[in-house]
Amino acid sequence: MTKTRHRDFSKLSELLAEHSHQATSPTKESGAVKLKRTITPANDNKSAREQLAWPALERLAYRGDYRRLFALRHWKSMVFPGSEIEAPEENNLGPETTTEVRPSEAELLAAVGWDVIDKERWHFTNEIVNVYERKDCTPTHQKNKNDGIDTQLGDLLFRDGRLIEWGKTGKGSSLRPVERPRGPKGGTSPGRPDAAVWAYLKLPGVVASPLTAKPYSKPLSGETAIGDFYAPLPREEPSAKDKRGRFGVVEARAMLQELGVDGSIPFERLPLPATRCPDGLVSGPQWVGGVKKPKPLGEISAAAGREPEFVRQVEILDYVDHLRRHLGRHALVLDMAITDATAKEIGVAMGQGPAYAEKRGPSLIDAAIDALINLDDAARVDFAPAEEKIAA
């Protein structure tokens, strides 16, 4: 039997279909039908079941239970210090931003004669950087008066391998390397000009002086309404303990009144000749009458220095052990609630059956968080309910 040679590839699909049909058709061997085994890939390409990264936290967030959510995050931050991602505070920038280093990269390369010819984006950081034109620069060496070696490379001057000068100013002064804190960003308030201050001081008084106030015409009582809560210091004569003694407040007031410098006598009626100097503004910040702002709470403790970080962590761990002793089995639930364990897994770990654990798990987590809130004041926080807008 001669095999037919097919050279017409237009029938290729039909030939392949016929060949595959013959290969998969059942054959009879020993009275039994033998089917060809179907080969299936090892990977069935079924999508994996999605699992939340922190099921307990996301369940509380979905319910809007922010009180328990805050307490659960508080427990995690105590058990694993530093695990919480803290948002950077305002104006709390890194050392690269707050520290000024001179010379910069551009100043160093300009000092050896490299010129900027273009700019390009660096694919590592996606930032725009300068493109320089390379130029050869031959260093020169000479011995200084301290028997050291001075190396000159363009405008860069190295002394014993240390950069001491990277250029000159327009007036010929030496530019030395510096590393200093960067100045505050933004302009400073210029303050009020002298003309504005003078205009304010020359304004006429709206009310009369308190010294000219008249008492109430019909007092309710002959006694003073406000007593003298400050007793003036009396005069103390010199003694063996205090050789100078002390000038009493009453005597001091009498002397000021006698000299006429206590303000009760007008300047034109002073008993002693005096010359009035022209009014002037004192430069610089001066004391202004009014209520002084209190010092921040941390100012006094900050002067003594912050305590080491490990001391704070040890104290937190001791406090966590104290909470565990009072929480009992609730502590185990909290430890599992800050992981990727589901409510069903927490219920099974607490001894519930698999069918009932999924329903019982959320209530176990809520009870454990409530027990933590009752024990730890730092885990308590009040959230104001959001105002719901009602459509008209």
Side-chain angles (χ1 to χ4, degrees), residues 11-34:
K11 304 293 183 179
L12 181 61
S13 60
E14 299 179 2
L15 294 174
L16 291 176
E18 182 182 357
H19 178 72
S20 61
H21 177 70
Q22 294 176 359
T24 57
S25 62
T27 59
K28 294 184 177 180
E29 294 182 2
S30 305
V33 178
K34 184 177 181 182

Side-chain angles (χ1 to χ4, degrees), residues 318-330:
D318 290 342
Y319 183 60
V320 170
D321 293 339
H322 164 73
L323 293 177
R324 289 184 186 278
R325 289 192 296 268
H326 289 79
L327 289 171
R329 291 175 59 84
H330 291 312

Side-chain angles (χ1 to χ4, degrees), residues 59 343-344 347 352-365:
R59 180 180 61 84
K344 182 178 180 180
Q352 304 294 332
Y356 188 60
E358 190 170 359
K359 298 180 180 179
R360 181 62 177 163
S363 59
L364 292 175
I365 298 174

Side-chain angles (χ1 to χ4, degrees), residues 54 56-57 60 68-76 337-338:
W54 193 351
L57 182 79
L60 294 174
R68 291 193 178 101
L69 187 144
F70 177 82
L72 185 61
R73 292 186 58 185
H74 174 68
W75 177 261
K76 182 177 181 180
I338 60 177

Side-chain angles (χ1 to χ4, degrees), residues 163-241:
L163 180 64
I164 63 172
E165 183 181 317
W166 56 276
K168 299 282 187 180
T169 63
K171 296 182 178 180
S173 301
S174 176
L175 292 174
R176 300 185 179 276
V178 293
E179 182 175 352
R180 58 195 174 192
R182 212 178 275 275
K185 292 186 176 181
T188 58
S189 176
R192 293 185 300 174
D194 293 349
V197 177
W198 280 117
Y200 176 76
L201 294 177
K202 292 179 179 180
L203 289 175
V206 180
V207 297
S209 172
L211 300 177
T212 61
K214 297 180 179 180
Y216 187 61
S217 58
K218 294 182 179 180
L220 301 177
S221 174
E223 299 180 359
T224 55
I226 301 178
D228 191 2
F229 294 96
Y230 173 74
L233 296 177
R235 179 182 178 87
E236 290 186 359
E237 300 294 336
S239 60
K241 185 177 180 180

